[in-house]
Amino acid sequence: MADGIPWVTLTDPSKLGDEIARLKASGGGVLILPSGNYPVNSNLTVDSSITLNFMNGAKLNIASGRTLVLNGKIEAGITQIFAGDGQISGHPQVKEFYPQWFGAVGNGKNDDSKGIQSAIDTAASVGGTVVFPPAAYSAGTIYVKSGVKITGEKGAVLQNNAASQSTDTLFAGSGISSFEIENLEGKISFDISSSSDFIIEQLRVFENAGNWAFSYCSNGMILNNQILNTKNVNNRIMYLSVCTDMLVQGNRIKNKTLFNNVEGNLNTGINASSSKYCKIVNNHIENCGGQGITFDTNIGITAAADRKCFSNLAAGNIVIGNGQEGITAFASTQFETYDITISGNICINNRYDGIEIWGVRQCIVESNSISAPAISDYSFGAINIYASKDIIVSGNAIDNVPTSGIATVNGSNYPESKCSNIIITSNRIQNWNYQDMNPATNHDQICGINLFGADFTVVQGNLFMDTRGGRKYGIKAISVVQGHHHIQGNVNPGNLPIDDHVEVDMTWAGRQIAERLPMLRMSQLQGDINNGSIPGIDSGTVWYNANKFALFFKGYEKAMLTPMVIDENSLSGYPSADYAPGYMQYQLQTGRLFFRGKTGNSNGKYTEIVLRDKFINLKRSTEVTKKPVEGDTYYDPTKKKPVYFDGTNWRDYAGNIVSVNP
């Protein structure tokens, strides 16, 4: 006896129950079990006042159908102390449980599944910790329980050596909460469903065949794990399906060979599918067969509300050498994926696009770094936006990529095929078409920004740089095919071409889509003037042609262009050089605009056009209504001068009230 606590050594294994009863009756104590086998052939309860002290080699052998209720303390080494097919229950006063206590051998050959599971089940009764001492454990499926922490000491390795099964040890659980798994290594996979408030961290996994699957989970944290050289090539490596408030942070998923030596498929690094409020941050994902990171919708879910994927974040990740895009936001049904932020990521040498936005809305792509000098088969752009709307692309650094820097693309398989409401600002785009590919075989995707399938975009404050020498094929800063766009304030020090098309409005303004002002269009392509006729140009449009160094105006009377010459020299208020009838001439130094109307050298061959408030709306008489509105201006053929309506009266540009009959 020490400190008033009785110590009793059990000498007769058959008297186990009797000694426990006597200790309880005397107020408790320590029961010492010398080496040997102690049968438990009937239900037995160890009171909370009793400590079982197991000497090396001592085992309680619980018969099948019998239960040992443990409420006391246990003192034992890392050796088996429980055997038999019976059950253990109760609330033992133990903080740490060891698989070896329950029969796990840890020699890498014997099946340790039962011992590990018994340790977890027993620890679950008190919310205890299962500790794996350094050893090689062979285990198949292990069922995680609520409130249990599973931790390994350095050198604790798990894998399944059963010839008929996967080589992975699978941690599985459904409807559980508040568990932790940490500091283990080996071939480990997960199948966790309908669970919450858990942490999985500091696992070192190599050559696992399965994946890490989490479905209908919430408030889980997957932190600082390594998944190296996976043999999983047909499924997602880390899969969050219909999850909420998940944090995936600091993990390393890395394979030896580029694209994991497989064709692009479901071998995504991290996939958040039909999930919300998930944060995928500061992970390193390299050489996966599919995308590095994907946000998408689970097409197997029939309920539209459950299928949505929204309010997710990918930030600070490094994605390298993956077989499809670096980071993708994808909607199987248009706009079911939305409110995705992709910020501060580094995307290098991913097979297709660095970042792709596919059929989504309300997405921010900002401050990412994208390069792919070793790749030659991108689809459209370093940042590719496909049939999406309400997108902000800002502050990204794009260097040495195979095709376009930023591209917008039509999506014919979606109801809204065009991209719309896109803001592209403050991006640095350098050395696109880095491999100098032939535009004829590369879909002409050789533009810094390619507005191929977009409407209502703002392109402003972007920097276009080309430092690659020895090019065979030219590149363009911006290409615009169709739609309404506001393009302003971009920096193009190399004066790379800006390619626009006749069906495009290069500036769009107004309170609503149907309201439009005449557009200023800039072109540097030969043939844009087309011998004075450009089909599809709206009346009232002014067009600048760099080859002819002239502005052209399409009037309302006829479908023809009126050339406008910029006069830099005249100081007299009259043109310094003569032009053919039909030309307009703007004097930079006097700020006056003249129209060459009459033929020959007759007096009045030049008519001055006075601009009021920097805006003039010249209409032919038949287009001016009997009830004009303030600001209406037209050229009166009787008075031979333009007049405007001030809201009450018609006036000439000297301010005189005039009588006109439009």
Side-chain angles (χ1 to χ4, degrees):
M1 179 181 297
D3 299 326
I5 299 175
W7 287 62
V8 177
T9 299
L10 183 62
T11 57
D12 185 354
S14 65
K15 302 297 183 181
L16 174 64
D18 295 336
E19 291 295 345
I20 288 175
R22 278 194 291 271
L23 277 175
K24 178 181 178 182
S26 63
V30 178
L31 181 61
I32 300 174
L33 303 177
S35 178
N37 186 39
Y38 297 85
V40 180
N41 295 320
S42 59
N43 295 337
L44 178 64
T45 298
V46 179
D47 188 70
S48 60
S49 63
I50 298 174
T51 298
L52 296 180
N53 184 300
F54 291 83
M55 303 296 287
N56 191 28
K59 298 178 185 177
L60 295 181
N61 196 330
I62 308 166
S64 178
R66 298 293 181 256
T67 300
L68 173 64
V69 181
L70 273 174
N71 295 318
K73 298 179 181 179
I74 296 175
E75 296 177 352
I78 311 301
T79 185
Q80 185 175 9
I81 59 174
F82 300 111
D85 296 324
Q87 301 295 316
I88 300 173
S89 65
H91 294 83
Q93 299 174 51
V94 178
K95 293 182 179 180
E96 295 182 348
F97 299 82
Y98 300 92
Q100 284 84 346
W101 284 1
F102 301 87
V105 178
N107 62 5
K109 298 178 181 179
N110 293 61
D111 186 357
D112 292 327
S113 301
K114 181 180 177 182
I116 294 170
Q117 191 64 58
S118 296
I120 292 172
D121 294 346
T122 305
S125 64
V126 294
T129 299
V130 175
V131 178
F132 285 76
Y137 300 86
S138 176
T141 300
I142 297 172
Y143 294 95
V144 185
K145 298 299 178 71
S146 295
V148 175
K149 180 177 181 178
I150 300 172
T151 186
E153 297 178 347
K154 185 175 178 58
V157 180
L158 279 74
Q159 67 179 49
N160 184 7
N161 290 324
S164 61
Q165 300 180 32
S166 165
T167 58
D168 293 358
T169 294
L170 175 67
F171 283 104
S174 180
I176 56 178
S177 64
S178 303
F179 66 88
E180 298 181 38
I181 302 175
E182 66 176 18
N183 297 327
L184 292 165
E185 60 180 294
K187 299 179 180 180
I188 300 171
S189 296
F190 285 90
D191 184 6
I192 306 295
S193 64
S194 303
S195 300
S196 64
D197 302 292
F198 57 86
I199 300 174
I200 298 171
E201 64 178 336
Q202 297 288 355
L203 303 188
R204 187 174 184 272
V205 176
F206 44 87
E207 297 184 350
N208 62 318
N211 66 338
W212 290 25
F214 304 87
S215 60
Y216 293 91
C217 292
S218 63
N219 298 303
M221 294 192 291
I222 305 170
L223 310 174
N224 302 320
N225 302 284
Q226 297 185 62
I227 303 176
L228 307 175
N229 304 325
T230 180
K231 294 185 180 298
N232 167 21
V233 295
N234 297 312
N235 211 326
R236 292 93 165 173
I237 295 173
M238 191 176 292
Y239 186 31
L240 312 180
S241 177
V242 202
C243 291
T244 305
D245 290 306
M246 298 286 286
L247 174 62
V248 182
Q249 178 175 304
N251 300 282
R252 177 180 292 270
I253 301 174
K254 185 175 181 179
N255 299 303
K256 288 182 178 179
T257 52
L258 188 67
F259 314 149
N260 204 15
N261 203 30
V262 297
E263 293 298 323
N265 51 26
L266 294 177
N267 194 219
T268 301
I270 301 174
N271 182 193
S273 183
S274 295
S275 297
K276 59 186 177 182
Y277 313 131
C278 294
K279 296 178 285 295
I280 299 176
V281 297
N282 299 336
N283 302 282
H284 181 114
I285 305 168
E286 186 170 354
N287 294 343
C288 297
Q291 294 94 349
I293 298 171
T294 299
F295 301 100
D296 66 6
T297 50
N298 188 333
I299 60 176
I301 300 173
T302 56
D306 293 337
R307 193 167 56 242
K308 292 179 179 178
C309 181
F310 62 91
S311 299
N312 296 304
L313 169 69
N317 301 285
I318 299 175
V319 287
I320 302 175
N322 297 289
Q324 290 181 245
E325 298 80 29
I327 302 174
T328 295
F330 175 81
S332 53
T333 300
Q334 196 173 35
F335 306 147
E336 282 190 326
T337 298
Y338 60 92
D339 190 20
I340 309 296
T341 298
I342 302 171
S343 177
N345 303 281
I346 298 174
C347 306
I348 302 173
N349 284 338
N350 297 286
R351 177 187 270 159
Y352 296 143
D353 308 314
I355 296 173
E356 183 172 73
I357 308 299
W358 188 288
V360 308
R361 64 177 173 87
Q362 197 174 328
C363 188
I364 297 174
V365 181
E366 65 176 4
S367 303
N368 301 283
S369 176
I370 302 171
S371 62
I375 304 299
S376 60
D377 56 349
Y378 265 39
S379 56
F380 278 97
I383 299 176
N384 184 31
I385 308 168
Y386 180 95
S388 298
K389 67 188 298 185
D390 304 330
I391 310 297
I392 297 175
V393 181
S394 180
N396 300 283
I398 299 172
D399 296 88
N400 303 336
V401 294
T403 53
S404 294
I406 301 171
T408 60
V409 187
N410 285 331
S412 59
N413 53 326
Y414 286 127
E416 295 188 32
S417 61
K418 289 184 179 179
C419 295
S420 61
N421 307 341
I422 313 294
I423 297 175
I424 304 173
T425 60
S426 304
N427 300 283
R428 179 177 63 81
I429 308 171
Q430 178 169 299
N431 297 344
W432 54 100
N433 191 18
Y434 185 69
Q435 301 288 345
D436 198 24
M437 292 181 284
N438 187 345
T441 60
N442 195 39
H443 312 290
D444 200 25
Q445 304 306 314
I446 57 172
C447 312
I449 295 177
N450 185 7
L451 302 179
F452 176 77
D455 207 356
F456 311 123
T457 69
V458 175
V459 180
Q460 187 168 347
N462 301 284
L463 172 63
F464 301 91
M465 293 285 292
D466 181 33
T467 62
R468 185 192 188 283
R471 285 191 180 276
K472 181 179 180 181
Y473 302 103
I475 59 175
K476 305 169 185 176
I478 302 173
S479 177
V480 187
V481 176
Q482 59 186 344
H484 306 71
H485 309 285
H486 178 71
I487 300 175
Q488 181 180 14
N490 298 286
V491 180
N492 181 11
N495 198 28
L496 298 167
I498 297 176
D499 167 20
D500 55 354
H501 294 248
V502 297
E503 66 270 30
V504 178
D505 292 321
M506 290 292 287
T507 304
W508 174 84
R511 298 185 190 91
Q512 51 190 335
I513 292 177
E515 182 176 304
R516 210 173 43 169
L517 301 178
M519 307 304 168
L520 179 63
R521 324 269 290 272
M522 308 301 287
S523 172
Q524 295 192 19
L525 293 183
Q526 291 183 345
D528 278 345
I529 296 307
N530 228 0
N531 296 321
S533 177
I534 301 184
I537 295 296
D538 296 329
S539 297
T541 295
V542 178
W543 185 290
Y544 176 75
N545 182 271
N547 290 357
K548 295 183 179 293
F549 301 104
L551 290 167
F552 289 81
F553 174 76
K554 182 175 181 181
Y556 288 86
E557 291 287 346
K558 296 181 180 180
M560 61 184 296
L561 294 174
T562 301
M564 183 183 297
V565 176
I566 305 299
D567 186 341
E568 298 181 352
N569 301 316
S570 179
L571 296 172
S572 63
Y574 293 94
S576 60
D578 201 5
Y579 291 88
Y583 271 73
M584 288 186 180
Q585 191 168 30
Y586 179 74
Q587 298 178 358
L588 287 177
Q589 299 197 42
T590 65
R592 302 172 74 179
L593 178 65
F594 293 87
F595 176 70
R596 174 72 152 90
K598 295 181 180 180
T599 59
N601 293 317
S602 59
N603 291 331
K605 61 183 177 181
Y606 279 98
T607 300
E608 184 175 357
I609 300 174
V610 181
L611 302 179
R612 178 177 179 267
D613 296 332
K614 300 181 180 179
F615 173 73
I616 187 168
N617 183 14
L618 297 177
K619 297 183 179 180
R620 57 184 178 177
S621 300
T622 56
E623 291 178 327
V624 180
T625 65
K626 295 296 182 180
K627 294 182 179 180
V629 297
E630 182 179 355
D632 269 356
T633 305
Y634 87 104
Y635 184 82
D636 186 87
T638 302
K639 297 185 179 296
K640 299 186 182 302
K641 61 181 178 181
V643 296
Y644 70 92
F645 188 67
D646 66 3
T648 303
N649 301 296
W650 289 98
R651 296 179 181 269
D652 61 21
Y653 277 87
N656 302 311
I657 297 176
V658 295
S659 176
V660 297
N661 185 25

